Amino acid sequence: MTAQLDLMSVFLNTFKLKPSLRSYPFSRPTQKGTPQKGKGWLTGIKRALLALALLGFIPSLQADDNTNAAANSAGEHWLVTVTDQVILPLYRDLETQAAKLVTSSKDFCQQPNNEQLQQLRQAWLNTMLAWQRTDSLMFGPAIEEQLDFHINFTPPKKLIIKQLLNSDQPITGETLNKNGVGGKGLSTLEYLLYDRERSDADLLQDYVPENSAAQRRCAYLQGVSELLHSDIQRITTPWLRTQNSYADSFRTAGAGSPMFVSQQEAIDTLISKLYQSAEKTAGRRLAKPLGIRTKQAPKPYQLEAWRSGASMALVKANLQGIKMLLVDGGILEHLTTQSTAAKHTAQSLAQALDKAMALDVPADAFSVVDSDNSTALLPWYEQSQIIKNIIKNEVAAELGVQLGFNDNDGD
């Protein structure tokens, strides 16, 4: 009520009206102060009526302000939740796994036996899975200087790898960077640790310490592992540091954030990346190697991480990351508080994610596809398509997100 009186005073002053209607606007003072009757009283009534009409909008304006405040509060809540409950834990785990990989590569090179090889492979896989869970976070530090390509450029460039192995230049981070992304990162490590045409015992001979070529190979293995850890830290540190972090910028979107001028900008960014990750999984990681969209024969060599056979484990990790952001991050919970349609969207997406997580993961996806049994992987494609379409057609619409162009569209 106080706000209404204040606005009334503003309107009266704006339209040159006096609070008292006893004499004015039915008569108005002349320059000499003598009331003059005539057209002036009609003008005064028009002004008064216009002021009262505008005052009628005050309740609706106040309601709009309350609605906007509630929406901003809800947006701020789940931006904080998704940052603290999902994004930061994912990046902490990624950094931890990368550090363990460095340690494991050193242990293996000191004692290159089968036990150490299996432990190193597991450390590589854990790092790769942790990276896949962050696939929906390809914004901010992850794409500065194209760091994502430095971490997992696929497929690796065998020519670059062989040149580095046969070179007499010291293996340093500078040397590896100078030779490009095709000779470093997770995919290069897979190339060094797996060979489907050789037994593990035979592969171990490449790392026998007495052999100079083996020493070079171990130096390369350790160099790539250390550089990978360093590149991952260039992503995780800006998020995880305690002051002036990227996490602070994301949490405070629209409230002083130096990166996001509005909450909607942060929401647009995250949902767009969620969609792009889901499309990449359904398209490049599944439809393309399975020959679904091209109606061609399956191509097992187009599976990601085909050498290790971990292709479907990576797909599951990718979908796990999407589920964590949507469920643990509070996005689906936020949708349930909106319209009936939004609540239905949240339920449908939660069910699709649960079904995907319950699917069997073959230990060796390459063998499955190579043996003409690729239909066994179709449920993964179907669920990935459902998840992708719900995010694109329903979640984005409910949150007012305009999805940008995606390079994977139509793959």
Side-chain angles (χ1 to χ4, degrees), residues 236-277:
T236 60
T237 300
W239 278 96
L240 298 174
R241 61 189 173 209
T242 56
Q243 293 183 336
N244 300 321
S245 69
Y246 196 86
D248 290 336
S249 296
F250 197 70
R251 291 190 198 97
T252 60
S257 168
M259 300 294 180
F260 301 94
V261 297
S262 68
Q263 285 185 3
Q264 190 61 47
E265 183 183 359
I267 292 169
D268 287 353
T269 298
L270 181 59
I271 300 303
S272 293
K273 294 304 178 180
L274 273 168
Y275 164 66
Q276 290 175 15
S277 181

Side-chain angles (χ1 to χ4, degrees), residues 194-355:
Y194 294 88
D195 190 333
R196 301 192 72 90
E197 297 179 357
R198 301 169 65 193
S199 67
D200 288 351
D202 190 19
L203 185 144
L204 280 168
Q205 295 304 308
D206 292 342
Y207 296 94
V208 174
E210 292 76 14
N211 186 317
S212 60
Q215 292 175 9
R216 177 76 180 182
R217 198 175 187 89
C218 251
Y220 186 33
L221 179 70
Q222 291 182 67
V224 172
S225 299
E226 290 168 358
L227 183 57
L228 172 67
H229 183 214
S230 176
D231 285 339
I232 284 175
Q233 284 182 315
R234 291 168 65 189
I235 295 176
T236 60
T237 300
W239 278 96
L240 298 174
R241 61 189 173 209
T242 56
Q243 293 183 336
N244 300 321
S245 69
Y246 196 86
D248 290 336
S249 296
F250 197 70
R251 291 190 198 97
T252 60
S257 168
M259 300 294 180
F260 301 94
V261 297
S262 68
Q263 285 185 3
Q264 190 61 47
E265 183 183 359
I267 292 169
D268 287 353
T269 298
L270 181 59
I271 300 303
S272 293
K273 294 304 178 180
L274 273 168
Y275 164 66
Q276 290 175 15
S277 181
E279 166 57 24
K280 190 193 304 181
T281 296
R284 187 186 303 170
R285 294 191 177 113
L286 290 170
K288 192 171 183 179
L290 298 180
I292 292 173
R293 295 180 181 174
T294 59
K295 300 187 185 303
Q296 296 178 349
K299 299 177 180 178
Y301 289 98
Q302 290 189 354
L303 287 166
E304 187 171 2
W306 61 266
R307 289 181 175 85
S308 62
S311 309
M312 298 313 299
L314 303 191
V315 167
K316 183 172 184 177
N318 174 258
L319 295 177
Q320 280 177 331
I322 291 175
K323 181 179 180 181
M324 291 172 71
L325 289 164
L326 290 168
V327 179
D328 300 338
I331 300 175
L332 294 191
E333 181 182 1
H334 173 69
L335 287 175
T336 62
T337 65
Q338 305 304 300
S339 64
T340 301
K343 185 175 182 179
H344 180 265
T345 293
Q347 292 172 342
S348 298
L349 188 48
Q351 290 173 0
L353 288 164
D354 286 341
K355 287 182 179 180

Side-chain angles (χ1 to χ4, degrees), residues 12-298:
L12 290 173
N13 289 331
T14 301
F15 293 102
K16 313 262 188 239
L17 299 174
K18 293 182 179 179
S20 173
L21 295 179
R22 184 168 51 188
S23 60
Y24 184 76
F26 299 101
S27 62
R28 61 185 175 89
T30 63
Q31 292 182 351
K32 296 181 179 181
T34 304
Q36 175 181 318
K37 295 185 179 181
K39 294 182 180 180
W41 72 273
L42 185 58
T43 301
I45 287 179
K46 289 180 179 179
R47 288 173 173 167
L49 290 174
L50 178 57
L52 291 172
L54 289 171
L55 286 171
F57 285 108
I58 292 175
S60 63
L61 290 173
Q62 289 178 323
D64 289 342
D65 288 342
N66 292 337
T67 300
N68 291 336
N72 289 336
S73 177
E76 180 183 359
H77 171 73
W78 75 256
L79 284 177
V80 171
T81 300
V82 77
T83 300
D84 294 345
Q85 301 299 319
V86 183
I87 297 176
L88 297 185
L90 283 174
Y91 276 139
R92 287 192 192 99
D93 182 55
L94 176 60
E95 200 282 328
T96 297
Q97 299 305 330
K100 289 181 178 179
L101 178 58
V102 172
T103 300
S104 187
S105 68
K106 292 178 180 178
D107 292 342
F108 169 73
C109 284
Q110 289 175 359
Q111 194 174 6
N113 56 41
N114 188 62
E115 181 181 357
Q116 293 292 342
L117 175 62
Q118 300 311 320
Q119 290 180 7
L120 178 55
R121 284 175 170 176
Q122 188 61 54
W124 168 83
L125 179 59
N126 290 342
T127 307
M128 178 66 106
L129 294 176
W131 172 249
Q132 291 296 330
R133 293 187 191 100
T134 68
D135 192 62
S136 297
L137 303 177
M138 292 299 104
F139 59 90
I143 60 173
E144 289 181 4
E145 302 178 32
Q146 296 185 316
L147 280 174
D148 52 328
F149 287 102
H150 290 256
I151 291 168
N152 189 32
F153 181 86
T154 183
K157 299 299 183 181
K158 291 186 288 185
L159 180 60
I160 294 176
I161 294 172
K162 291 176 180 178
Q163 287 175 343
L164 283 165
L165 287 173
N166 295 325
S167 171
D168 56 2
Q169 288 186 322
I171 297 291
T172 64
E174 183 180 359
T175 302
L176 294 174
N177 281 326
K178 190 179 296 184
N179 281 272
V181 296
K184 63 178 186 174
L186 288 162
S187 292
T188 292
L189 287 173
E190 184 195 25
Y191 177 87
L192 295 172
L193 295 174
Y194 294 88
D195 190 333
R196 301 192 72 90
E197 297 179 357
R198 301 169 65 193
S199 67
D200 288 351
D202 190 19
L203 185 144
L204 280 168
Q205 295 304 308
D206 292 342
Y207 296 94
V208 174
E210 292 76 14
N211 186 317
S212 60
Q215 292 175 9
R216 177 76 180 182
R217 198 175 187 89
C218 251
Y220 186 33
L221 179 70
Q222 291 182 67
V224 172
S225 299
E226 290 168 358
L227 183 57
L228 172 67
H229 183 214
S230 176
D231 285 339
I232 284 175
Q233 284 182 315
R234 291 168 65 189
I235 295 176
T236 60
T237 300
W239 278 96
L240 298 174
R241 61 189 173 209
T242 56
Q243 293 183 336
N244 300 321
S245 69
Y246 196 86
D248 290 336
S249 296
F250 197 70
R251 291 190 198 97
T252 60
S257 168
M259 300 294 180
F260 301 94
V261 297
S262 68
Q263 285 185 3
Q264 190 61 47
E265 183 183 359
I267 292 169
D268 287 353
T269 298
L270 181 59
I271 300 303
S272 293
K273 294 304 178 180
L274 273 168
Y275 164 66
Q276 290 175 15
S277 181
E279 166 57 24
K280 190 193 304 181
T281 296
R284 187 186 303 170
R285 294 191 177 113
L286 290 170
K288 192 171 183 179
L290 298 180
I292 292 173
R293 295 180 181 174
T294 59
K295 300 187 185 303
Q296 296 178 349

